């Protein structure tokens, strides 16, 4: 398992006889920062990808509307998505945990745009280039659920 220190960006490789069953902490061997390692315990299959996404704190009909921001979907599951944006586009008041967004995107192969509501659950930043937002879907209708489920099928 590779661990990257969020403070000094030093990469360390950890070897286990068996995979860890619980979250754990290590101390960075370079800067002595305590790193908390949280294990991924997702309920749903998650697919990694790179698809354009548009989002806003308010409803929108046109992605060219000035209130609409853009980024990239980096992963998706039945319960939510991960969005990555440039730190230059990030606004602490706009992209903050708890905010509800209207989100528009298209999934292959149909490439029909769907619009969903989602709540920002977490914000992670590498402090240099990217900000990642964990978004939890809510109130998906049957059509939206069907498109996302079809896309996630192996």
């Amino acid at each position: 398992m590779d661990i990257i220190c969020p403070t000094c960006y030093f990469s360390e490789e950890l070897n286990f006889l068996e995979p860890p069953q619980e979250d754990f902490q290590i101390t960075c061997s370079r800067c002595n920062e305590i790193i908390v390692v949280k294990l991924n315990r997702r309920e749903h299959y998650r697919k990694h990808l790179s698809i354009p996404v548009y989002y806003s704190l308010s409803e929108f009909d046109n992605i060219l509307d000035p209130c609409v921001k853009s980024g990239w979907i980096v992963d998706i599951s039945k319960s939510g998505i991960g969005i990555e944006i440039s730190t230059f586009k990030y606004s602490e008041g706009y992209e903050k945990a708890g905010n509800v967004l209207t989100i528009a995107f298209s999934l292959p192969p149909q490439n029909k745009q769907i619009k969903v509501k989602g709540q920002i659950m977490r914000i992670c930043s590498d402090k240099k280039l990217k900000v990642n937002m964990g978004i939890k879907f809510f109130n998906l209708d049957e059509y939206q659920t069907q498109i996302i489920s079809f896309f996630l099928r192996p």
Side-chain angles (χ1 to χ4, degrees):
M1 174 185 285
D2 286 329
I3 305 293
I4 298 174
C5 176
T7 304
C8 70
Y9 302 105
F10 182 69
S11 178
E12 296 190 53
E13 185 174 333
L14 302 178
N15 295 312
F16 299 96
L17 294 175
E18 293 184 22
Q21 299 298 314
E22 298 292 327
D23 298 344
F24 60 94
Q25 294 181 355
I26 65 165
T27 301
C28 176
S29 60
R30 179 186 277 170
C31 70
N32 292 323
E33 181 75 21
I34 294 175
I35 303 168
V36 177
V37 179
K38 295 197 176 262
L39 301 179
N40 185 353
R41 293 190 193 106
R42 300 194 186 277
E43 289 180 40
H44 303 289
Y45 171 72
R46 188 164 284 269
K47 192 179 239 183
H48 297 278
L49 55 142
S50 182
I51 293 178
V53 63
Y54 304 92
Y55 62 94
S56 176
L57 288 171
S58 57
E59 291 288 331
F60 62 91
D61 292 319
N62 185 340
I63 60 171
L64 299 176
D65 188 314
C67 74
V68 176
K69 296 179 92 172
S70 64
W72 294 92
I73 297 176
V74 292
D75 58 51
I76 186 168
S77 76
K78 286 183 180 181
S79 60
I81 59 176
I83 296 178
E84 182 178 280
I85 62 171
S86 162
T87 54
F88 302 112
K89 293 182 178 181
Y90 173 70
S91 169
E92 200 169 296
Y94 200 96
E95 289 96 356
K96 77 175 187 179
N99 281 358
V100 174
L101 303 174
T102 300
I103 306 161
F105 56 93
S106 300
L107 294 173
Q110 294 125 338
N111 288 324
K112 293 180 183 173
Q113 188 178 71
I114 62 172
K115 218 186 271 186
V116 299
K117 290 283 193 179
Q119 183 175 25
I120 301 173
M121 302 306 289
R122 65 175 170 76
I123 302 284
C124 298
S125 171
D126 68 7
K127 299 177 184 157
K128 289 190 177 185
L129 302 173
K130 302 177 280 186
V131 173
N132 290 297
M133 296 185 289
I135 311 286
K136 181 179 180 182
F137 295 139
F138 65 87
N139 296 335
L140 291 181
D141 64 28
E142 188 175 324
Y143 173 73
Q144 295 162 335
T145 302
Q146 186 177 27
I147 288 178
I148 293 168
S149 296
F150 181 78
F151 177 75
L152 289 170
R153 284 187 5 211

